[in-house]
Amino acid sequence: PSTVPSVSPMPGKVSLRKTSVTVSESAGKVVIDLIRTEGSGGPAIVHYQTATGAGTATAGEDYVEELDGTVLIADGEETGQIVVPLIDDEDINTVKKFSVSLFGVDGAELGFPRTVEIIIVDSDSGPNLIGYWNFDEESGTTAKDSSAYANTGIHDNFDGGYGISTDRVTTFESSNNLRSLRFDGDDDVVWVNNAPGLNLSAGSYTQSVWIKPVSDGTDGYQGIIG
């Protein structure tokens, strides 16, 4: 009689579930999900590292650095987790960033995405921080919300040299922005979609904005949020 040869389970590919994770610094850690696709045969050891790079967080002050961390995904398992400890500092009203990258897998293939941006929200603001737009993007037409609500804004009517600028706040030690947005004072706006958390008519709120005026102020100022 003929026999059917056994087929070994495919080891699959390991990658990150997300490319961005927002966490409060008071959480004490950030948990990053790994996924294993196209097979789960055999154990897989995932190698990862942390890096500040172009971010604004500092290893040893905001998070615990790891240059060669490992996570074991057992035979037959399709998920895993990287846990990076966070350090709650005394900086107030700051949002800091670093990244975690996968650089190798033993027992499986390395898939994509391989790098996730970690956004640490100041614990002194906590869940009451409903929006934090840094305006520090290098390019594009979106304004990322670094709060836990992720209400991304869209640039509108920026042209003629207005828009992303290398002007930055330098008078506050807590400012980590390398760029800003330059408005023409006429019709330049950043649109943010309606969201329940942005219903400011439901109670009191505090609004903080860093502005560099380019006129003598005699022509007045328009609303910042409307």
Side-chain angles (χ1 to χ4, degrees):
S2 61
T3 58
V4 178
S6 61
V7 179
S8 300
M10 297 294 291
K13 298 180 180 180
V14 179
S15 62
L16 294 162
R17 186 180 296 278
K18 298 181 179 180
T19 57
S20 179
V21 173
T22 299
V23 62
S24 171
E25 65 179 356
S26 63
K29 63 183 178 181
V30 58
V31 179
I32 302 156
D33 291 329
L34 301 171
I35 56 173
R36 191 177 187 182
T37 58
E38 301 180 28
S40 59
I45 299 176
V46 184
H47 297 265
Y48 69 92
Q49 62 184 5
T50 61
T52 296
T56 51
T58 302
E61 295 182 10
D62 301 303
Y63 67 94
V64 176
E65 184 178 40
E66 180 60 75
L67 299 180
D68 188 6
T70 58
V71 173
L72 171 65
I73 301 180
D75 177 24
E77 295 293 325
E78 297 181 343
T79 60
Q81 290 184 331
I82 295 172
V83 178
V84 179
L86 301 178
I87 302 170
D88 193 344
D89 60 21
E90 297 180 355
D91 290 347
I92 299 176
N93 295 325
T94 60
V95 172
K96 299 181 179 181
K97 304 176 183 179
F98 70 100
S99 64
V100 176
S101 299
L102 310 182
F103 65 88
V105 180
D106 301 330
E109 292 185 43
L110 186 58
F112 290 94
R114 301 177 180 179
T115 299
V116 56
E117 180 183 58
I118 309 301
I119 303 170
I120 307 173
V121 179
D122 172 30
S123 61
D124 295 302
S125 298
N128 293 323
L129 180 66
I130 61 174
Y132 195 112
W133 295 272
N134 293 293
F135 295 155
D136 64 349
E137 288 80 13
E138 294 183 8
S139 60
T141 58
T142 60
K144 189 172 184 177
D145 176 15
S146 295
S147 78
Y149 297 95
N151 292 306
T152 299
I154 303 295
H155 302 181
D156 192 18
N157 295 323
F158 286 92
D159 54 27
Y162 294 94
I164 294 175
S165 170
T166 54
D167 277 350
R168 58 173 298 196
V169 176
T170 58
T171 55
F172 298 95
E173 292 183 1
S174 60
S175 173
N176 294 300
N177 278 27
L178 299 179
R179 285 162 294 278
S180 60
L181 272 184
R182 186 169 183 237
F183 293 79
D184 65 5
D186 182 15
D187 60 356
D188 290 354
V189 295
V190 175
W191 294 106
V192 179
N193 288 333
N194 290 331
L198 296 178
N199 181 11
L200 304 182
S201 63
S204 61
Y205 66 94
T206 299
Q207 172 185 320
S208 298
V209 186
W210 282 333
I211 302 174
K212 178 183 178 181
V214 292
S215 71
D216 58 9
T218 57
D219 53 353
Y221 293 96
Q222 302 299 315
I224 302 302
I225 294 181

